[in-house]
Amino acid sequence: MNKTAQSVWDNCLSFIKDNVQEQAYKTWFEPIQSVDLNENALSIQVPSKFFYEWLEEHYVKLLKVALTKELGPNAKLLYKIKMENPYGNKLPFTEQIPSNNRQVIKTQEVDVPIAQKNPELKNPFIIPGIRNINIDSQLNSNYSFDNFLEGDSNRLARSAGLAVANKPGGTSFNPLLIFGGVGLGKTHLAHAIGVEIKDKFPEKTVLYISAEIFTQQYIDSVKKNTRNDFIHFYQLIDVLIIDDVQFLSGKSGTQDVFFHIFNHLHQNGKQVILTSDKAPVDMQDIEQRLLSRFKWGLSAELHQPDFETRISILKNILFRDGVEMPEEIIEYVAKNIKSNVRELEGAIISLIAQSSFNKREVTIDLAKQVVEKFVKNVKREISIDYIQKIVSEYFQLDIETLQSKTRKRHVVQARQLAMFFAKKFTKNSLANIGSQIGDRDHATVLHACKTVDNLVTTDKQFRKFVDDINKKLSM
Ligand code: ADP
Ligand code: MG
């Protein structure tokens, strides 16, 4: 018998190759090197501790079978974990790994040549010279729960955020995914959660990062050959906040690495907070396995704030800046800027500036001018005729067909959509809407609105129609 570590491992590999998918083989087995064979114990070197855990978690049976075939029933597998040496010389060193009670394949403790359990990893966020790993959280303390005003539009997301802040990793909201349109407060809320956690649990490592920067860091790490450092770094975080995860769409390498980081954090009871401009179901070009992880916890939507919330947001800003403004001006602004808190803030700040710098009286006229600048699309009154025109054009029908008695499915849907939008965008009664759209009664309109509501939640294609038309009508 002339077995070497290499030959034993090669034989194991060819067995493994036949039994796992190609991609998994490439990812998890190709990077492994055989190191040593001592009687029936084979040592292999894996790139990271995470790697080792992953193998133990997913491939222990397969490894056991392969190794038993080669080395008999007393086969043992020893892992050595390769790490970048923090002291600068390029020699890899091994880290002690916890022993593990699996039957045949036992991981034994291996020597730690360099007495350093928690090597400091090279990372942009680490403040040099501080002994414990100390990471700048990248949080903006101006974004707090106190100044994130509560309303129906954000109650769920806000309270879930508070729950998470009180017990990071300890609620079922893990991950917490906050989603909603632009300027509705996702970034603010994400920071607020982090700020609150830092306040309550100063020892926790919190990190806020945009998905864009995360992606750049990852790409850099691949270029510089420090991918493992990158992964290790993120695996040290207790509370990881990633803003705008939709940015990861189409970026499969980054998604892949995030998937592993996510799993590691989640398995270790760490908290993950994500924001996105879309609900998971609507995210495009994000791997299924990642989407399914996103759905493990809670997805909470930020909606457009209602009138009262808009008023309180405005008053809060005025109060903060010590400015008084007539009630009717505040109401005017709140009435006319509906869909975006950022625009709401912009308008009031601009009004404050106008009044204080130019010593101008803030009049409704001035408010009008300012609001028009901020609301990209000044709302004109939308009429039922206009809605019918837009809907017919969208489906390439003429208005007569839309209004006709035909039961063709696509025409019926178009008609129902016209009714739905008429209800949504005008103040007409159901009866009135019915009589203008092909002379139907109010029950038909009511039915149409319900049908649309249903289809929007069940039919993705249909939802796209609604979104598209909605956009056109809001232009
Ligand atoms: P998003 O990340 O969803 O695009 P932001 O978090 O950047 O939105 O919010 C835009 C602006 O609106 C920020 O200045 C934020 O402070 C403010 N804002 C949003 N929601 C609220 C709220 N509920 N109370 C107070 N300010 C809010
Ligand atoms: Mg944002």
Side-chain angles (χ1 to χ4, degrees):
M1 276 213 317
N2 223 345
K3 286 182 177 168
T4 63
Q6 184 72 46
S7 70
V8 169
W9 183 239
D10 283 347
N11 290 343
C12 287
L13 279 183
S14 61
F15 175 77
I16 289 166
K17 198 169 188 170
D18 290 337
N19 285 284
V20 297
Q21 295 203 335
E22 195 188 333
Q23 191 55 45
Y25 179 81
K26 280 200 174 126
T27 311
W28 298 110
F29 294 97
E30 274 186 0
I32 298 176
Q33 283 165 15
S34 57
V35 178
D36 188 31
L37 181 67
N38 198 341
E39 298 189 14
N40 51 5
L42 175 72
S43 300
I44 57 173
Q45 188 183 56
V46 295
S48 69
K49 185 160 172 201
F50 174 69
F51 216 94
Y52 145 74
E53 287 169 356
W54 188 272
L55 289 172
E56 284 281 283
E57 174 94 24
H58 298 273
Y59 298 112
V60 72
K61 283 205 188 105
L62 184 64
L63 283 164
K64 179 178 160 180
V65 175
L67 217 64
T68 311
K69 262 168 53 111
E70 289 305 305
L71 297 174
N74 293 323
K76 279 185 183 156
L77 185 63
L78 306 179
Y79 295 89
K80 292 193 174 211
I81 297 170
K82 185 181 165 195
M83 288 184 106
E84 200 69 30
N85 185 327
Y87 298 111
N89 78 52
K90 281 274 142 57
L91 286 173
F93 70 99
T94 49
E95 188 199 26
Q96 188 167 330
I97 46 176
S99 62
N100 178 320
N101 296 330
R102 311 240 191 235
Q103 299 139 351
V104 172
I105 299 171
K106 288 218 176 92
T107 55
Q108 285 192 346
E109 296 193 344
V110 292
D111 285 345
V112 183
I114 297 171
Q116 174 78 7
K117 279 267 191 68
N118 254 342
E120 284 184 49
L121 304 165
K122 286 184 219 98
N123 191 283
F125 297 133
I126 293 185
I127 300 166
I130 294 177
R131 258 192 61 225
N132 291 330
I133 289 181
N134 201 322
I135 291 163
D136 180 2
S137 291
Q138 313 286 310
L139 289 165
N140 180 346
S141 55
N142 292 326
Y143 288 146
S144 65
F145 273 107
D146 282 345
N147 61 21
F148 189 81
L149 296 170
E150 183 171 351
D152 287 345
S153 56
N154 61 36
R155 190 159 289 121
L156 173 68
R158 193 178 186 281
S159 23
L162 268 171
V164 163
N166 285 323
K167 239 180 148 191
T171 68
S172 50
F173 309 151
N174 199 10
L176 173 62
L177 173 77
I178 301 161
F179 70 96
V182 249
L184 292 182
K186 302 181 294 291
T187 297
H188 185 142
L189 187 53
H191 277 280
I193 298 169
V195 168
E196 185 80 9
I197 293 177
K198 250 340 223 184
D199 198 44
K200 288 209 163 86
F201 310 95
E203 76 289 354
K204 286 214 186 286
T205 310
V206 180
L207 181 68
Y208 166 91
I209 188 149
S210 70
E212 188 172 358
I213 307 263
F214 179 85
T215 303
Q216 278 168 16
Q217 285 182 351
Y218 171 68
I219 293 170
D220 274 359
S221 82
V222 172
K223 274 194 204 135
K224 292 189 191 134
N225 229 339
T226 54
R227 187 175 182 273
N228 285 338
D229 278 356
F230 175 86
I231 295 174
H232 278 292
F233 170 77
Y234 276 95
Q235 289 176 348
L236 294 172
I237 310 285
D238 296 316
V239 178
L240 178 61
I241 305 169
I242 301 202
D243 204 358
D244 291 320
V245 287
Q246 75 276 358
F247 186 85
L248 300 183
S249 68
K251 305 192 171 61
S252 57
T254 315
Q255 285 181 34
D256 194 52
V257 83
F258 178 59
F259 178 73
H260 296 314
I261 292 168
F262 179 93
N263 285 337
H264 182 92
L265 294 178
H266 198 271
Q267 278 164 15
N268 288 285
K270 306 302 173 64
Q271 179 71 45
V272 178
I273 297 151
L274 308 166
T275 79
S276 164
D277 67 353
K278 292 180 203 67
V281 276
D282 298 323
M283 288 185 199
Q284 309 257 316
D285 297 321
I286 301 262
E287 283 178 47
Q288 208 47 47
R289 57 180 187 162
L290 207 49
L291 285 182
S292 87
R293 295 295 187 280
F294 290 175
K295 293 177 198 156
W296 275 358
L298 176 75
S299 302
E301 181 166 10
L302 288 175
H303 301 271
Q304 298 181 355
D306 55 26
F307 181 69
E308 276 162 42
T309 314
R310 299 200 297 274
I311 296 271
S312 8
I313 291 174
L314 291 174
K315 288 194 169 160
N316 192 50
I317 294 169
L318 292 166
F319 176 77
R320 179 192 75 191
D321 292 2
V323 178
E324 296 202 356
M325 204 164 284
E327 194 72 24
E328 60 163 353
I329 304 283
I330 302 174
E331 284 183 12
Y332 179 84
V333 175
K335 237 179 226 143
N336 287 281
I337 303 185
K338 297 178 181 160
S339 58
N340 186 321
V341 182
R342 193 176 292 135
E343 288 173 2
L344 196 63
E345 281 185 347
I348 200 75
I349 288 168
S350 168
L351 275 175
I352 294 171
Q354 298 267 4
S355 74
S356 57
F357 300 149
N358 305 337
K359 304 255 174 315
R360 264 172 87 181
E361 180 82 27
V362 178
T363 60
I364 283 283
D365 265 351
L366 180 60
K368 245 183 211 157
Q369 287 171 26
V370 167
V371 164
E372 277 173 16
K373 276 198 205 108
F374 275 90
V375 190
K376 275 175 234 110
N377 324 297
V378 187
K379 291 267 179 306
R380 64 189 113 48
E381 253 322 294
I382 297 182
S383 65
I384 296 181
D385 281 344
Y386 181 67
I387 291 170
Q388 296 190 75
K389 177 171 167 283
I390 293 291
V391 173
S392 320
E393 273 173 16
Y394 182 79
F395 290 107
Q396 295 171 340
L397 302 169
D398 40 45
I399 293 190
E400 290 81 71
T401 316
L402 184 88
Q403 296 182 341
S404 72
K405 303 277 176 221
T406 173
R407 300 294 314 158
K408 281 190 190 132
R409 187 159 168 263
H410 71 286
V411 180
V412 173
Q413 279 196 344
R415 194 184 307 129
Q416 289 178 328
L417 278 166
M419 291 174 173
F420 168 85
F421 281 111
K423 176 80 180 64
K424 181 169 175 192
F425 284 124
T426 75
K427 294 199 166 48
N428 286 279
S429 66
L430 294 174
N432 211 334
I433 293 170
S435 78
Q436 291 191 55
I437 305 182
D439 204 13
R440 306 300 210 280
D441 62 11
H442 84 282
T444 309
V445 180
L446 190 62
H447 175 72
C449 294
K450 282 189 185 150
T451 308
V452 172
D453 277 337
N454 275 335
L455 284 174
V456 160
T457 54
T458 53
D459 181 339
K460 221 167 147 182
Q461 174 66 51
F462 189 81
R463 180 164 174 159
K464 185 170 172 350
F465 295 158
V466 172
D467 287 345
D468 287 349
I469 297 169
N470 207 350
K471 261 190 217 126
K472 284 192 199 297
L473 287 171
S474 314
M475 278 200 295

